[in-house]
Amino acid sequence: MRRLARPTVILLALAFLIGCLAVLLTANTGNAAINPQVSEPTPEGMQIEESNSTAPIVSNQVCLGCHSQPGLTMTLENGDVLDLTVNPDTYAASIHGQDGYACVQCHTNLGNYPHPAFKAADLRDVTLQLTNVCDRCHSGEYNLTMDSVHAAAQAAGIREAAVCTDCHGSHDVRQWTDQNTHEILSSARLSIPTTCAKCHNAIYQKYSTSVHGAALTQEGNTDVPTCIDCHGVHNIGNPTTTAFRLKSPELCASCHTNPAIMDKYGISTDVLNTYVADFHGTTVTLFEKQSPDSPTNKPVCYDCHGIHDISRVDDPQTGIQMQQNLLVRCKVCHPDATSNFPSAWMSHYIPSPQHYSLVYYVNLFYKFFIPLVLGGMVVLVSMDVGHSVYVKARRRKPRPTAPKPMETVNPPLDEQPSASSSLASELAPAEAEQQGEQPPSQAEQPPENPPAASEDTPGEEVTHG
Amino acid sequence: MKNQNVPTPTSSSPGVKLVRTFPRFSASQRWEHAVLLLCVAVLLATGLPQKYNTTAWSQAIISTPARLATLQLIHHIAALVLTALVLYHLGTAIYMMARRKLSGEMLPAWQDVKDAWHMLLYLVYIKKQKPAFGKYNFEQKATYWFLFFTIAIMLISGYIMWFPVVVTRLLPGGVIPAAILAHSTEAMVTLIFIVLFHFYHVHLERLNLSIFSGWLNEEDMRTYHAMEYNRLVSTPRADPPPGDKQV
């Protein structure tokens, strides 16, 4: 027993030692763990962690020894002056500073002094060069950004198009999402429109007066959409494509069909249903599924409600609850529309005796009429089928029983076709059945029906049987 | 299958059967029916995919806006043809009415109610015989007038949908959604009626192709239109055009 146990004890002791070493090493490197807000740990991130744990890192104090002093500048090729001073308090307050990231984790090539030569055409060029380092830790977000209109504009040579630091800042990067839920913080929502406004100011001016923007900027209400709720965050798409247009009703509906938000403000959540039920919405929904790239002239939400300047429907100036305000929107596509025309659109109402009573009663009528027609026809036809089956079954029975008395009545009718009493005509069907079996002497009719007179008189046809 | 005006044989050879035929519909009426049939078929074929646009079979047809536009164009053309047909039909009727020549055969009469009641008693095995009918029985009259009003509703609501801007110059806007609803729903009523009632009576109950051939044979005349048969064989007439005979 003892001989067997000894190697096990040694192995356990070794494992314990390795475990202790590992704990010590990670504790030494401090807060090198990746910021939890990064969605996926990336190979680059792992490498940094490893390199941090092995190689000595240049302390921020070393960098700030020079770079905290004001007046440290560098003149770029076009004469722009690059300020090289970093306020230690600003950085310490930023999310990276709070988590103890080192300067050289972003400025990877500046670990030694003297620094290697740095070349930049102008200030914008500095930003564009340095923003690439975000990819090292935040490659998920970085790659999403590569699909955005901003990246496309950069690729097209528009250097003003936003890159990471234009929105997030550089040394003052802030925490914008909740560490646990990864949901965007309310405080961050308030600053989003002003962030976009740095470039898109004209749109911001419209937005800030809209029903959504005013609530956000004046009341601090974060239930309302900010720029990113419609346009997306990193992979901001082109909002002028047909695909965006066809998809837009769903975008609005993501909030406007949510009772948790809408009930607070007494807004109907039937807006999407009623839109889709109308032929405008039907067509848009159909093509959104079928061919999202096909252009359609059918209106989507924002064609009537506005894009960035969405106003309350009961706004006395611009609200489209006022028919004359809606008419302006109608006339974009229906230029000859007159004052009655806007009410052709049921204004998101579900027809009821109060609203659109005509539609309500037409619907009610058919609710009864269709079952009546369908049921009545089915009953009549099935009774008729049942009866003819019954009649055929009876005819197969031996002759002498049933039709005997009729035969006695029939002959005079054959000879005197002018007899048109109700009795004779009632007997006609039974008689006709027998006629088919009789020799064609019947064809010799009284002279009042000359066969060759014209097409209009009863003609004769020869069939070979 | 044309009437052959051959001399009446005094004695028929064995194996040859002579069948007398009676004119029922004029060439004009037969053409009207053919055009109506074609129009209704095209209108249903192009209308139903638009009504049932959420179904897979419909989306296979309406896959692009261009296809929808084509479908609507065909629907509109068929609607115009149907309108022309209705105008011709009404125009002919008014012209004949003005000349006091319009037959009352298709007009609903009290006799039809009595016939329907009689037929109902026959179908529940109370009466032994079907009622004797004139040129058009109550079922045929019901078919005609049902489709008459159905087409009226479809055409009126269709044009309201087609020209909403013009219509709302005179009428309130609410008529547009009402017309859209009526058009879509009445189409289903029409389809149900034609398939269940009309197809049953002309295809299943008995194959009656007189609306295409124009004539009915003697046996069918006696069986289904005994009063008309008796009238035709008893009273000689000086060639009134078919379809507008006076009662």
Side-chain angles (χ1 to χ4, degrees), chain A residues 290 366 384 387 431 456 461, chain B residues 19 23 59 122 186 200 222:
Chain A
Q290 287 280 298
Y366 281 109
D384 206 63
H387 203 284
E431 177 207 43
D456 302 323
E461 194 184 15
Chain B
V19 177
Q59 294 189 349
Y122 169 78
E186 185 68 26
Y200 172 73
R222 281 173 182 242

Side-chain angles (χ1 to χ4, degrees), chain A residues 419-428, chain B residues 118 130-132 226-227 230:
Chain A
S420 57
S421 67
S422 63
L423 173 73
S425 53
E426 269 203 36
L427 290 168
Chain B
H118 186 158
K130 284 186 185 178
M227 279 159 64
N230 286 335

Side-chain angles (χ1 to χ4, degrees), chain A residues 286 290, chain B residues 49 52-64 67-68 71:
Chain A
L286 175 66
Q290 287 280 298
Chain B
Y52 293 102
N53 58 71
T54 52
T55 59
W57 64 267
S58 158
Q59 294 189 349
I61 301 167
I62 318 174
S63 51
T64 62
R67 281 200 182 187
L68 178 63
L71 214 62

Side-chain angles (χ1 to χ4, degrees), chain A residues 2 11 166 202 239 250 328 334 336 339 350 352 356:
Chain A
R2 272 187 193 169
L11 273 173
D166 290 322
E250 273 181 39
V328 176
H334 307 274
D336 297 327
S339 56
I350 294 166
S352 66
Y356 289 88

Side-chain angles (χ1 to χ4, degrees), chain B residues 12-126:
Chain B
S12 55
S13 57
V16 173
K17 194 168 85 174
L18 284 177
V19 177
R20 291 183 71 207
T21 60
F22 293 80
R24 185 156 170 80
F25 296 110
S26 69
S28 158
Q29 287 172 322
R30 283 141 62 193
W31 271 111
E32 280 186 52
H33 177 265
V35 174
L36 178 68
L37 186 156
L38 198 71
C39 281
V40 171
V42 169
L43 287 165
L44 282 171
T46 52
L48 290 175
Q50 294 182 64
K51 178 177 167 72
Y52 293 102
N53 58 71
T54 52
T55 59
W57 64 267
S58 158
Q59 294 189 349
I61 301 167
I62 318 174
S63 51
T64 62
R67 281 200 182 187
L68 178 63
T70 311
L71 214 62
Q72 286 174 336
L73 180 71
I74 297 169
H75 197 82
H76 286 164
I77 291 170
L80 287 174
V81 174
L82 181 61
T83 310
L85 181 72
V86 166
L87 290 178
Y88 170 77
H89 188 79
L90 292 178
T92 317
I94 290 166
Y95 175 79
M96 301 233 284
M97 225 188 289
R99 302 188 133 211
R100 302 277 187 274
K101 280 173 77 181
L102 185 71
S103 122
E105 285 158 332
M106 197 41 103
L107 292 174
W110 181 241
Q111 183 60 41
D112 295 313
V113 180
K114 286 200 273 185
D115 285 349
W117 178 246
H118 186 158
M119 190 67 170
L120 200 68
L121 293 178
Y122 169 78
L123 287 178
V124 295
Y125 308 95
I126 290 172

Side-chain angles (χ1 to χ4, degrees), chain B residues 97-161:
Chain B
M97 225 188 289
R99 302 188 133 211
R100 302 277 187 274
K101 280 173 77 181
L102 185 71
S103 122
E105 285 158 332
M106 197 41 103
L107 292 174
W110 181 241
Q111 183 60 41
D112 295 313
V113 180
K114 286 200 273 185
D115 285 349
W117 178 246
H118 186 158
M119 190 67 170
L120 200 68
L121 293 178
Y122 169 78
L123 287 178
V124 295
Y125 308 95
I126 290 172
K127 291 231 178 196
K128 288 272 185 295
Q129 293 292 333
K130 284 186 185 178
F133 297 118
K135 180 162 183 181
Y136 302 114
N137 66 30
F138 74 94
E139 287 162 343
Q140 289 161 339
K141 287 187 187 181
T143 307
Y144 175 86
W145 287 106
F146 193 96
L147 290 177
F148 184 91
F149 286 110
T150 280
I151 291 169
I153 292 171
M154 292 307 283
L155 281 180
I156 292 167
S157 61
Y159 280 108
I160 290 176
M161 289 163 72

